[in-house]
Amino acid sequence: MTRPPTGPPTRPPARPMSRPSARTTGRFVVLLVGAAVMVLPFAMMIATSLKQQSFVLTPSLVPDHPTLDNYVRAWTSSGFGRYFLNSAAVALATVALVLLFGSMMAYAFARFEFVGKKAMFYAMIATLMIPAMMLLIPQYFVARDLGVLDSRTGLVLFYVAGQLAFTTFLLRGFFAGIPRELDDAMLIDGANRWHIYWHLMLPLARPALATAAIFTFLGSWDEFVWAVTIIDSKDNRTLPMAIQLFQGQHGTSWGLVFAASTIAVVPVIAVFVVFQRYFVSGLQAGALKG
Amino acid sequence: MTDTASPTTGATPAARPRVPRPGSGRRARPRRGPAPSGGTGHGSRLTPYLFLLPGMVLFVGLVLWPIVQAARMSLLDWQFNPGLPSPFVGLKHYDRALHDPIFWKSLVNTGVYMVATVPTQMILGLALALLLNKAIAGKVAFRVLYYLPVITSWVVVSLVFEYLFATSSGLVNHVLHDGLGIGSEPINWLGSRWPAMVVLSLLGIWKGAGWSMLIFLAALQAVPKDLLDAASVDGAGPVRRFFAVTLPQLRPVALFVTVMLVIGGFNVFISVFVMTGGGPANDTQVVLTYMYKQAFDFLEFSYGSAIAYLLAIIIFALSFAQMRLFRYDEEAS
């Protein structure tokens, strides 16, 4: 620690692109091959979704006579528009409620001393270690007793409850980093706590809220097990369960199944690519400080 | 997270005087006359609880209570019909699980899945992170590409793998059998125990490697640069620097990744549910698919809860053991 960094810098200087060494090129090639392996299944999925039914079982990456037929059929004839909207509505409602309730809890944990604070906080952290699936059976009966089986409300309520702990944890860390002097300035001006939360904390926490929003969105958009457990009627299906049931009904219509899958995956990839920075920072905050 | 935090930016109306409370008027309590000392002590003692209320109701009712309820259910003969009594039977369902060959088979399958996927994901993740940690063209693009499988729905990727490993028409058999002439006939990948476990494990590794990569990447960036510089001044080459400086610094993160991957391994469910359904003849059953089948196919909710609790006990024991093991190493070195 005390030794000053003498000697030549070990990293290449500012513009690594200008003269790639053999080692850099080698590294690049390895990464490229790995990326190809990562992408291949997606490429197969998209290629198959563009194939006509008679070509679906030929394992080629480039469809011979590409067609958008499968997309049209998936969207129009199979109720996919409905399932897409269900997924979107459930995910958006979940995000809104998780952000609101989670940030309120995070504010309480970050700024107040109160009886039971530690117990409550550690109870939440501890549940982060429990696989969600283990609660499936009792949650099913709680949902029955609340009368929310086979409803989108039943999805939203349990998604919100399941995502609250992580969001609260993430936002509490962020709120704790905001200087208390700002609170004090507002208090002196006569603001109350709700006012501070709403007009100071939330605007400042926008990056953290974005991170939490993305995690929550992806989590509820893709959720499968709870949906398949409580949803019975066709009208309430979400995309993942619709796709899975779809595959069961149309065992060989892989073109149709993968057109539907692509429709489901595109929003996820779009959200991820656009908000990649927030996503990575949130993931690492959860990992490195947890 | 910290790099995005700049609490002084943002047009905050910090100086705005007493404004009518927005939204719910019940939540916050007006407070006249600022108290002298900063931070705590303002507002009613009820205020924090009002902030906690809506979230806590959901958390306690829908997460915490079910944890307790699962334990209760595992000790009863739980009746689906709420009008019927559910008699207390003690540890009967746990005893049944321990004498159930299919439960043991599912546990072995889960173990095999973990042995196949956890170390592989760790090593691949670390290797990718090391490759990406230095300046390289397309760094962000690589990071996104490797992470794509992580964010993609389990259902979708399971279906894609089912398609790729289809017996007569899948790409894998096309390459292995038709192309390279391996095997006298195409492999029935999902039709028997071990080939199916191979496919499930490959899917797990493919889907998860990007996650450990991202975590390790962050940890690598936190390794103090002057330590590495000092080591190279002392004449340590890249390999030596990795083992003497980088690896010890990664220990806490490696522990975190291991614990999370082990928990994730026990959580394997959707891929099995979608691709094999636990079949043929329970050959690819894992603990959670078996639990699900008992509960929601056979309506054996108490037995399912007992299986869930056995799994929880195993997970906690393993996590605890890992933490002890890592700490012991640390003290020894």
Side-chain angles (χ1 to χ4, degrees):
Chain A
M1 284 300 282
T2 50
R3 190 196 298 247
T6 53
T10 49
R11 284 163 174 271
R15 305 249 315 263
M17 293 295 297
S18 52
R19 222 161 36 86
S21 67
R23 184 177 287 171
T24 309
T25 313
R27 223 167 64 211
F28 188 76
V29 170
V30 172
L31 283 169
L32 211 58
V33 172
V37 173
M38 288 292 150
V39 169
L40 180 73
F42 291 107
M44 263 329 267
M45 174 180 92
I46 293 168
T48 307
S49 74
L50 296 170
K51 287 175 191 168
Q52 295 170 14
Q53 178 60 24
S54 49
F55 294 97
V56 154
L57 295 179
T58 50
S60 66
L61 259 177
V62 185
D64 283 338
H65 303 282
T67 167
L68 288 176
D69 250 23
N70 290 316
Y71 287 87
V72 176
R73 281 206 297 147
W75 190 265
T76 54
S77 66
S78 311
F80 251 75
R82 168 94 197 187
Y83 307 144
F84 191 93
L85 290 180
N86 279 345
S87 275
V90 166
L92 292 178
T94 304
V95 169
L97 290 176
V98 165
L99 288 191
L100 178 66
F101 296 163
S103 63
M104 284 168 65
M105 291 206 282
Y107 178 63
F109 283 124
R111 281 297 197 258
F112 293 95
E113 293 304 326
F114 51 89
V115 177
K117 176 173 167 172
K118 268 203 172 147
M120 283 192 231
F121 190 67
Y122 285 119
M124 296 192 84
I125 299 296
T127 60
L128 288 178
M129 303 287 282
I130 296 173
M133 270 211 65
M134 296 191 33
L135 304 180
L136 204 65
I137 296 170
Q139 281 179 333
Y140 176 84
F141 287 99
V142 173
R144 183 185 74 176
D145 295 344
L146 292 173
V148 294
L149 287 181
D150 196 22
S151 74
R152 282 160 294 176
T153 313
L155 295 178
V156 173
L157 279 181
F158 284 82
Y159 292 168
V160 173
Q163 306 248 19
L164 265 178
F166 178 71
T167 301
T168 304
F169 172 67
L170 189 80
L171 292 176
R172 188 205 67 112
F174 197 92
F175 286 164
I178 297 175
R180 276 172 187 267
E181 286 77 14
L182 296 177
D183 298 37
D184 293 341
M186 286 185 83
L187 280 172
I188 289 167
D189 289 335
N192 63 44
R193 289 295 185 173
W194 175 264
H195 193 89
I196 292 172
Y197 156 77
W198 192 260
H199 288 284
L200 177 74
M201 290 293 171
L202 288 190
L204 289 182
R206 238 176 264 153
L209 290 170
T211 303
I214 293 157
F215 273 98
T216 310
F217 175 81
L218 295 185
S220 40
W221 177 268
D222 279 345
E223 203 287 330
F224 172 71
V225 181
W226 181 245
V228 95
T229 303
I230 70 161
I231 298 294
D232 280 328
S233 51
K234 205 167 181 285
D235 278 354
N236 289 329
R237 282 178 195 162
T238 56
L239 271 180
M241 68 175 296
I243 290 170
Q244 193 255 339
L245 288 169
F246 208 45
Q247 194 267 341
Q249 291 156 16
H250 312 266
T252 49
S253 300
W254 282 110
L256 208 54
V257 170
F258 286 145
S261 300
T262 307
I263 292 172
V265 166
V266 163
V268 170
I269 294 179
V271 164
F272 174 62
V273 170
V274 172
F275 296 104
Q276 200 243 130
R277 194 167 61 93
Y278 294 125
F279 198 83
V280 172
S281 67
L283 186 75
Q284 292 167 349
L288 301 185
K289 290 170 191 166
Chain B
M1 180 165 153
T2 43
D3 60 331
T4 50
S6 61
T8 46
T9 59
T12 311
R16 206 186 299 164
R18 218 171 285 150
V19 169
R21 275 163 282 131
S24 157
R26 288 181 298 121
R27 290 236 166 75
R29 200 145 292 235
R31 171 87 195 176
R32 306 289 125 123
S37 66
T40 54
H42 303 297
S44 153
R45 254 189 292 169
L46 265 182
T47 312
Y49 298 106
L50 292 174
F51 274 102
L52 289 169
L53 187 67
M56 270 296 165
V57 167
L58 285 176
F59 176 72
V60 172
L62 307 187
V63 177
L64 225 45
W65 162 244
I67 293 177
V68 178
Q69 177 70 348
R72 254 190 80 213
M73 287 176 79
S74 73
L75 301 173
L76 305 174
D77 260 338
W78 184 265
Q79 299 302 311
F80 184 79
N81 188 330
L84 296 174
S86 301
F88 179 82
V89 296
L91 296 176
K92 182 181 116 181
H93 298 291
Y94 292 90
D95 188 60
R96 175 177 166 195
L98 297 179
H99 292 95
D100 179 349
I102 300 172
F103 171 74
W104 284 107
K105 196 183 215 177
S106 71
L107 201 57
V108 169
N109 284 341
T110 311
V112 166
Y113 179 82
M114 279 202 300
V115 169
T117 57
V118 173
T120 322
Q121 287 180 79
M122 294 269 299
I123 292 165
L124 276 178
L126 183 57
L128 288 171
L130 285 169
L131 288 172
L132 273 177
N133 192 36
K134 293 173 197 153
I136 195 159
K139 190 171 169 170
V140 174
F142 279 127
R143 211 168 64 177
V144 169
L145 288 178
Y146 283 112
Y147 204 69
L148 269 189
V150 183
I151 55 162
T152 309
S153 133
W154 270 105
V155 174
V156 168
V157 294
S158 300
L159 290 175
V160 172
F161 267 62
E162 192 178 330
Y163 177 75
L164 288 175
F165 284 87
T167 306
S168 54
S169 57
L171 180 70
V172 175
N173 273 338
H174 183 70
V175 171
L176 288 184
H177 179 73
D178 307 348
L180 302 173
I182 295 169
S184 52
E185 53 189 66
I187 302 168
N188 182 5
W189 285 103
L190 296 171
S192 52
R193 187 175 184 184
W194 301 116
M197 290 308 295
V198 169
V199 176
L200 293 166
S201 303
L202 282 176
L203 171 55
I205 294 164
W206 174 80
K207 193 171 192 302
W211 179 84
S212 15
M213 173 200 77
L214 264 198
I215 306 286
F216 277 126
L217 203 52
L220 283 176
Q221 279 157 10
V223 172
K225 207 172 153 299
D226 39 346
L227 278 186
L228 290 167
D229 290 343
S232 53
V233 169
D234 291 345
V239 176
R240 183 79 201 279
R241 277 204 303 271
F242 173 72
F243 283 104
V245 180
T246 310
L247 210 52
Q249 295 276 330
L250 291 182
R251 183 190 295 275
V253 173
L255 169 64
F256 171 79
V257 172
T258 320
V259 171
M260 294 313 281
L261 287 181
V262 168
I263 293 176
F266 275 116
N267 238 341
V268 59
F269 174 81
I270 298 176
S271 54
V272 181
F273 185 86
V274 169
M275 289 165 83
T276 69
N282 292 311
D283 267 355
T284 59
Q285 209 74 262
V286 289
V287 178
L288 286 178
T289 51
Y290 193 51
M291 176 201 93
Y292 195 89
K293 186 177 174 168
Q294 288 297 334
F296 295 101
D297 291 351
F298 301 153
L299 305 186
E300 294 265 12
F301 293 101
S302 286
Y303 191 40
S305 298
I307 292 173
Y309 253 85
L310 283 173
L311 188 64
I313 292 165
I314 295 172
I315 290 177
F316 273 106
L318 270 182
S319 300
F320 187 71
Q322 288 170 72
M323 287 179 213
R324 284 298 291 266
L325 201 67
F326 270 74
R327 199 173 303 152
Y328 175 76
D329 280 4
E330 209 162 324
E331 279 160 7
S333 63

mmCIF file of all heavy atoms in Angstrom, chain A residues 110-141:
data_model
loop_
_atom_site.group_PDB
_atom_site.id
_atom_site.type_symbol
_atom_site.label_atom_id
_atom_site.label_comp_id
_atom_site.label_asym_id
_atom_site.label_seq_id
_atom_site.Cartn_x
_atom_site.Cartn_y
_atom_site.Cartn_z
ATOM 1 N N ALA A 110 -33.415 3.964 5.732
ATOM 2 C CA ALA A 110 -32.211 4.784 5.571
ATOM 3 C C ALA A 110 -32.196 5.987 6.504
ATOM 4 O O ALA A 110 -31.137 6.476 6.875
ATOM 5 C CB ALA A 110 -32.090 5.255 4.117
ATOM 6 N N ARG A 111 -33.381 6.484 6.901
ATOM 7 C CA ARG A 111 -33.394 7.784 7.574
ATOM 8 C C ARG A 111 -33.969 7.788 8.992
ATOM 9 O O ARG A 111 -33.903 8.784 9.668
ATOM 10 C CB ARG A 111 -34.200 8.782 6.736
ATOM 11 C CG ARG A 111 -33.438 9.344 5.548
ATOM 12 C CD ARG A 111 -32.226 10.142 6.009
ATOM 13 N NE ARG A 111 -31.716 11.003 4.968
ATOM 14 C CZ ARG A 111 -30.642 10.740 4.228
ATOM 15 N NH1 ARG A 111 -29.985 9.625 4.408
ATOM 16 N NH2 ARG A 111 -30.230 11.596 3.304
ATOM 17 N N PHE A 112 -34.581 6.678 9.427
ATOM 18 C CA PHE A 112 -35.209 6.695 10.737
ATOM 19 C C PHE A 112 -34.600 5.646 11.654
ATOM 20 O O PHE A 112 -34.100 4.616 11.180
ATOM 21 C CB PHE A 112 -36.718 6.416 10.628
ATOM 22 C CG PHE A 112 -37.491 7.496 9.931
ATOM 23 C CD1 PHE A 112 -37.754 7.398 8.576
ATOM 24 C CD2 PHE A 112 -37.941 8.605 10.626
ATOM 25 C CE1 PHE A 112 -38.467 8.392 7.924
ATOM 26 C CE2 PHE A 112 -38.656 9.603 9.980
ATOM 27 C CZ PHE A 112 -38.915 9.500 8.631
ATOM 28 N N GLU A 113 -34.660 5.945 12.945
ATOM 29 C CA GLU A 113 -34.393 4.924 13.952
ATOM 30 C C GLU A 113 -35.729 4.554 14.553
ATOM 31 O O GLU A 113 -36.496 5.449 14.948
ATOM 32 C CB GLU A 113 -33.461 5.466 15.040
ATOM 33 C CG GLU A 113 -32.057 5.771 14.550
ATOM 34 C CD GLU A 113 -31.384 4.574 13.913
ATOM 35 O OE1 GLU A 113 -31.632 3.429 14.371
ATOM 36 O OE2 GLU A 113 -30.633 4.768 12.935
ATOM 37 N N PHE A 114 -36.039 3.274 14.628
ATOM 38 C CA PHE A 114 -37.325 2.906 15.215
ATOM 39 C C PHE A 114 -37.249 1.484 15.747
ATOM 40 O O PHE A 114 -36.347 0.716 15.384
ATOM 41 C CB PHE A 114 -38.446 3.042 14.187
ATOM 42 C CG PHE A 114 -38.186 2.344 12.890
ATOM 43 C CD1 PHE A 114 -38.558 1.028 12.707
ATOM 44 C CD2 PHE A 114 -37.557 3.013 11.843
ATOM 45 C CE1 PHE A 114 -38.323 0.383 11.499
ATOM 46 C CE2 PHE A 114 -37.306 2.366 10.637
ATOM 47 C CZ PHE A 114 -37.690 1.051 10.470
ATOM 48 N N VAL A 115 -38.191 1.174 16.590
ATOM 49 C CA VAL A 115 -38.206 -0.145 17.217
ATOM 50 C C VAL A 115 -38.475 -1.206 16.153
ATOM 51 O O VAL A 115 -39.399 -1.082 15.360
ATOM 52 C CB VAL A 115 -39.290 -0.205 18.313
ATOM 53 C CG1 VAL A 115 -39.355 -1.604 18.920
ATOM 54 C CG2 VAL A 115 -39.010 0.843 19.376
ATOM 55 N N GLY A 116 -37.652 -2.245 16.136
ATOM 56 C CA GLY A 116 -37.862 -3.344 15.199
ATOM 57 C C GLY A 116 -37.178 -3.137 13.858
ATOM 58 O O GLY A 116 -37.321 -3.946 12.953
ATOM 59 N N LYS A 117 -36.403 -2.059 13.736
ATOM 60 C CA LYS A 117 -35.770 -1.764 12.450
ATOM 61 C C LYS A 117 -34.844 -2.893 11.993
ATOM 62 O O LYS A 117 -34.960 -3.398 10.882
ATOM 63 C CB LYS A 117 -34.980 -0.462 12.588
ATOM 64 C CG LYS A 117 -34.182 -0.082 11.358
ATOM 65 C CD LYS A 117 -33.574 1.292 11.526
ATOM 66 C CE LYS A 117 -32.516 1.567 10.468
ATOM 67 N NZ LYS A 117 -32.047 2.948 10.486
ATOM 68 N N LYS A 118 -33.941 -3.284 12.890
ATOM 69 C CA LYS A 118 -32.975 -4.326 12.522
ATOM 70 C C LYS A 118 -33.669 -5.626 12.172
ATOM 71 O O LYS A 118 -33.356 -6.261 11.161
ATOM 72 C CB LYS A 118 -31.995 -4.554 13.685
ATOM 73 C CG LYS A 118 -30.761 -3.713 13.566
ATOM 74 C CD LYS A 118 -29.630 -4.335 14.361
ATOM 75 C CE LYS A 118 -28.328 -3.613 14.084
ATOM 76 N NZ LYS A 118 -27.452 -3.596 15.246
ATOM 77 N N ALA A 119 -34.617 -6.019 13.027
ATOM 78 C CA ALA A 119 -35.310 -7.295 12.806
ATOM 79 C C ALA A 119 -35.990 -7.297 11.445
ATOM 80 O O ALA A 119 -35.868 -8.254 10.669
ATOM 81 C CB ALA A 119 -36.325 -7.535 13.917
ATOM 82 N N MET A 120 -36.675 -6.199 11.130
ATOM 83 C CA MET A 120 -37.380 -6.135 9.852
ATOM 84 C C MET A 120 -36.409 -6.184 8.676
ATOM 85 O O MET A 120 -36.624 -6.898 7.703
ATOM 86 C CB MET A 120 -38.208 -4.850 9.777
ATOM 87 C CG MET A 120 -39.488 -4.883 10.578
ATOM 88 S SD MET A 120 -40.507 -3.474 10.120
ATOM 89 C CE MET A 120 -40.878 -2.815 11.720
ATOM 90 N N PHE A 121 -35.334 -5.406 8.807
ATOM 91 C CA PHE A 121 -34.396 -5.349 7.685
ATOM 92 C C PHE A 121 -33.743 -6.710 7.445
ATOM 93 O O PHE A 121 -33.669 -7.193 6.318
ATOM 94 C CB PHE A 121 -33.334 -4.276 7.945
ATOM 95 C CG PHE A 121 -32.489 -3.993 6.737
ATOM 96 C CD1 PHE A 121 -33.048 -3.395 5.616
ATOM 97 C CD2 PHE A 121 -31.148 -4.335 6.714
ATOM 98 C CE1 PHE A 121 -32.280 -3.149 4.494
ATOM 99 C CE2 PHE A 121 -30.376 -4.085 5.591
ATOM 100 C CZ PHE A 121 -30.948 -3.486 4.485
ATOM 101 N N TYR A 122 -33.304 -7.355 8.538
ATOM 102 C CA TYR A 122 -32.633 -8.644 8.346
ATOM 103 C C TYR A 122 -33.601 -9.730 7.912
ATOM 104 O O TYR A 122 -33.220 -10.645 7.160
ATOM 105 C CB TYR A 122 -31.854 -9.035 9.604
ATOM 106 C CG TYR A 122 -30.591 -8.222 9.727
ATOM 107 C CD1 TYR A 122 -30.354 -7.385 10.816
ATOM 108 C CD2 TYR A 122 -29.642 -8.240 8.715
ATOM 109 C CE1 TYR A 122 -29.216 -6.606 10.903
ATOM 110 C CE2 TYR A 122 -28.500 -7.464 8.786
ATOM 111 C CZ TYR A 122 -28.287 -6.655 9.881
ATOM 112 O OH TYR A 122 -27.158 -5.881 9.943
ATOM 113 N N ALA A 123 -34.866 -9.619 8.317
ATOM 114 C CA ALA A 123 -35.851 -10.587 7.826
ATOM 115 C C ALA A 123 -35.956 -10.487 6.304
ATOM 116 O O ALA A 123 -36.020 -11.496 5.600
ATOM 117 C CB ALA A 123 -37.208 -10.334 8.471
ATOM 118 N N MET A 124 -35.924 -9.268 5.791
ATOM 119 C CA MET A 124 -36.023 -9.086 4.343
ATOM 120 C C MET A 124 -34.782 -9.630 3.640
ATOM 121 O O MET A 124 -34.879 -10.338 2.634
ATOM 122 C CB MET A 124 -36.187 -7.605 4.011
ATOM 123 C CG MET A 124 -37.465 -7.023 4.546
ATOM 124 S SD MET A 124 -37.798 -5.396 3.853
ATOM 125 C CE MET A 124 -38.569 -5.831 2.339
ATOM 126 N N ILE A 125 -33.611 -9.295 4.183
ATOM 127 C CA ILE A 125 -32.374 -9.766 3.558
ATOM 128 C C ILE A 125 -32.334 -11.300 3.560
ATOM 129 O O ILE A 125 -31.944 -11.928 2.583
ATOM 130 C CB ILE A 125 -31.150 -9.222 4.329
ATOM 131 C CG1 ILE A 125 -31.148 -7.704 4.302
ATOM 132 C CG2 ILE A 125 -29.856 -9.766 3.744
ATOM 133 C CD1 ILE A 125 -31.000 -7.111 2.946
ATOM 134 N N ALA A 126 -32.754 -11.890 4.689
ATOM 135 C CA ALA A 126 -32.680 -13.351 4.796
ATOM 136 C C ALA A 126 -33.538 -14.020 3.725
ATOM 137 O O ALA A 126 -33.142 -15.039 3.158
ATOM 138 C CB ALA A 126 -33.116 -13.796 6.183
ATOM 139 N N THR A 127 -34.697 -13.421 3.410
ATOM 140 C CA THR A 127 -35.542 -14.080 2.422
ATOM 141 C C THR A 127 -34.950 -14.019 1.015
ATOM 142 O O THR A 127 -35.381 -14.760 0.140
ATOM 143 C CB THR A 127 -36.955 -13.465 2.374
ATOM 144 O OG1 THR A 127 -36.841 -12.075 2.032
ATOM 145 C CG2 THR A 127 -37.658 -13.608 3.708
ATOM 146 N N LEU A 128 -33.958 -13.150 0.818
ATOM 147 C CA LEU A 128 -33.310 -13.126 -0.496
ATOM 148 C C LEU A 128 -32.583 -14.438 -0.780
ATOM 149 O O LEU A 128 -32.313 -14.773 -1.921
ATOM 150 C CB LEU A 128 -32.309 -11.960 -0.576
ATOM 151 C CG LEU A 128 -32.903 -10.569 -0.663
ATOM 152 C CD1 LEU A 128 -31.809 -9.518 -0.694
ATOM 153 C CD2 LEU A 128 -33.769 -10.447 -1.902
ATOM 154 N N MET A 129 -32.249 -15.161 0.295
ATOM 155 C CA MET A 129 -31.511 -16.417 0.117
ATOM 156 C C MET A 129 -32.440 -17.608 -0.139
ATOM 157 O O MET A 129 -31.980 -18.692 -0.436
ATOM 158 C CB MET A 129 -30.683 -16.725 1.369
ATOM 159 C CG MET A 129 -29.697 -15.646 1.762
ATOM 160 S SD MET A 129 -28.308 -15.606 0.622
ATOM 161 C CE MET A 129 -27.377 -17.019 1.218
ATOM 162 N N ILE A 130 -33.735 -17.405 0.020
ATOM 163 C CA ILE A 130 -34.656 -18.526 -0.111
ATOM 164 C C ILE A 130 -35.171 -18.621 -1.542
ATOM 165 O O ILE A 130 -35.682 -17.648 -2.076
ATOM 166 C CB ILE A 130 -35.839 -18.361 0.856
ATOM 167 C CG1 ILE A 130 -35.333 -18.420 2.288
ATOM 168 C CG2 ILE A 130 -36.899 -19.424 0.614
ATOM 169 C CD1 ILE A 130 -36.396 -18.107 3.298
ATOM 170 N N PRO A 131 -35.009 -19.787 -2.168
ATOM 171 C CA PRO A 131 -35.528 -19.928 -3.523
ATOM 172 C C PRO A 131 -37.034 -19.693 -3.539
ATOM 173 O O PRO A 131 -37.774 -20.264 -2.732
ATOM 174 C CB PRO A 131 -35.219 -21.383 -3.875
ATOM 175 C CG PRO A 131 -34.143 -21.795 -2.952
ATOM 176 C CD PRO A 131 -34.323 -20.993 -1.713
ATOM 177 N N ALA A 132 -37.464 -18.829 -4.454
ATOM 178 C CA ALA A 132 -38.867 -18.434 -4.492
ATOM 179 C C ALA A 132 -39.797 -19.637 -4.627
ATOM 180 O O ALA A 132 -40.884 -19.658 -4.067
ATOM 181 C CB ALA A 132 -39.077 -17.475 -5.660
ATOM 182 N N MET A 133 -39.315 -20.660 -5.316
ATOM 183 C CA MET A 133 -40.190 -21.803 -5.585
ATOM 184 C C MET A 133 -40.602 -22.548 -4.338
ATOM 185 O O MET A 133 -41.613 -23.243 -4.325
ATOM 186 C CB MET A 133 -39.480 -22.770 -6.514
ATOM 187 C CG MET A 133 -39.731 -22.468 -7.950
ATOM 188 S SD MET A 133 -39.701 -23.948 -8.916
ATOM 189 C CE MET A 133 -41.079 -24.874 -8.307
ATOM 190 N N MET A 134 -39.793 -22.415 -3.278
ATOM 191 C CA MET A 134 -40.119 -23.163 -2.079
ATOM 192 C C MET A 134 -41.368 -22.635 -1.395
ATOM 193 O O MET A 134 -41.940 -23.308 -0.559
ATOM 194 C CB MET A 134 -38.949 -23.121 -1.124
ATOM 195 C CG MET A 134 -37.777 -23.830 -1.752
ATOM 196 S SD MET A 134 -36.494 -24.081 -0.593
ATOM 197 C CE MET A 134 -37.459 -24.311 0.846
ATOM 198 N N LEU A 135 -41.760 -21.407 -1.754
ATOM 199 C CA LEU A 135 -42.950 -20.835 -1.134
ATOM 200 C C LEU A 135 -44.204 -21.088 -1.957
ATOM 201 O O LEU A 135 -45.298 -20.666 -1.599
ATOM 202 C CB LEU A 135 -42.762 -19.325 -0.949
ATOM 203 C CG LEU A 135 -41.524 -18.950 -0.154
ATOM 204 C CD1 LEU A 135 -41.420 -17.456 -0.008
ATOM 205 C CD2 LEU A 135 -41.579 -19.611 1.212
ATOM 206 N N LEU A 136 -44.019 -21.777 -3.063
ATOM 207 C CA LEU A 136 -45.104 -21.926 -4.031
ATOM 208 C C LEU A 136 -46.367 -22.522 -3.416
ATOM 209 O O LEU A 136 -47.472 -22.020 -3.635
ATOM 210 C CB LEU A 136 -44.603 -22.829 -5.160
ATOM 211 C CG LEU A 136 -45.293 -22.685 -6.488
ATOM 212 C CD1 LEU A 136 -45.034 -21.315 -7.059
ATOM 213 C CD2 LEU A 136 -44.758 -23.752 -7.440
ATOM 214 N N ILE A 137 -46.203 -23.581 -2.637
ATOM 215 C CA ILE A 137 -47.373 -24.296 -2.125
ATOM 216 C C ILE A 137 -48.154 -23.425 -1.133
ATOM 217 O O ILE A 137 -49.345 -23.204 -1.336
ATOM 218 C CB ILE A 137 -46.956 -25.649 -1.509
ATOM 219 C CG1 ILE A 137 -46.369 -26.541 -2.600
ATOM 220 C CG2 ILE A 137 -48.138 -26.323 -0.836
ATOM 221 C CD1 ILE A 137 -45.714 -27.807 -2.088
ATOM 222 N N PRO A 138 -47.511 -22.888 -0.077
ATOM 223 C CA PRO A 138 -48.300 -22.036 0.817
ATOM 224 C C PRO A 138 -48.835 -20.783 0.127
ATOM 225 O O PRO A 138 -49.948 -20.343 0.424
ATOM 226 C CB PRO A 138 -47.314 -21.674 1.935
ATOM 227 C CG PRO A 138 -45.972 -21.968 1.391
ATOM 228 C CD PRO A 138 -46.142 -23.093 0.427
ATOM 229 N N GLN A 139 -48.051 -20.226 -0.810
ATOM 230 C CA GLN A 139 -48.531 -19.025 -1.502
ATOM 231 C C GLN A 139 -49.786 -19.327 -2.320
ATOM 232 O O GLN A 139 -50.679 -18.487 -2.445
ATOM 233 C CB GLN A 139 -47.437 -18.449 -2.404
ATOM 234 C CG GLN A 139 -46.407 -17.637 -1.627
ATOM 235 C CD GLN A 139 -45.306 -17.100 -2.518
ATOM 236 O OE1 GLN A 139 -45.000 -17.674 -3.553
ATOM 237 N NE2 GLN A 139 -44.701 -15.999 -2.113
ATOM 238 N N TYR A 140 -49.843 -20.532 -2.853
ATOM 239 C CA TYR A 140 -51.028 -20.930 -3.611
ATOM 240 C C TYR A 140 -52.270 -20.830 -2.723
ATOM 241 O O TYR A 140 -53.321 -20.333 -3.141
ATOM 242 C CB TYR A 140 -50.848 -22.351 -4.144
ATOM 243 C CG TYR A 140 -52.054 -22.881 -4.867
ATOM 244 C CD1 TYR A 140 -52.270 -22.587 -6.199
ATOM 245 C CD2 TYR A 140 -52.986 -23.678 -4.197
ATOM 246 C CE1 TYR A 140 -53.385 -23.056 -6.866
ATOM 247 C CE2 TYR A 140 -54.103 -24.155 -4.859
ATOM 248 C CZ TYR A 140 -54.297 -23.849 -6.188
ATOM 249 O OH TYR A 140 -55.407 -24.313 -6.836
ATOM 250 N N PHE A 141 -52.137 -21.283 -1.465
ATOM 251 C CA PHE A 141 -53.298 -21.249 -0.568
ATOM 252 C C PHE A 141 -53.603 -19.839 -0.078
ATOM 253 O O PHE A 141 -54.767 -19.496 0.116
ATOM 254 C CB PHE A 141 -53.095 -22.236 0.587
ATOM 255 C CG PHE A 141 -53.250 -23.658 0.128
ATOM 256 C CD1 PHE A 141 -52.136 -24.434 -0.155
ATOM 257 C CD2 PHE A 141 -54.511 -24.196 -0.066
ATOM 258 C CE1 PHE A 141 -52.288 -25.727 -0.619
ATOM 259 C CE2 PHE A 141 -54.666 -25.498 -0.523
ATOM 260 C CZ PHE A 141 -53.554 -26.260 -0.806
#
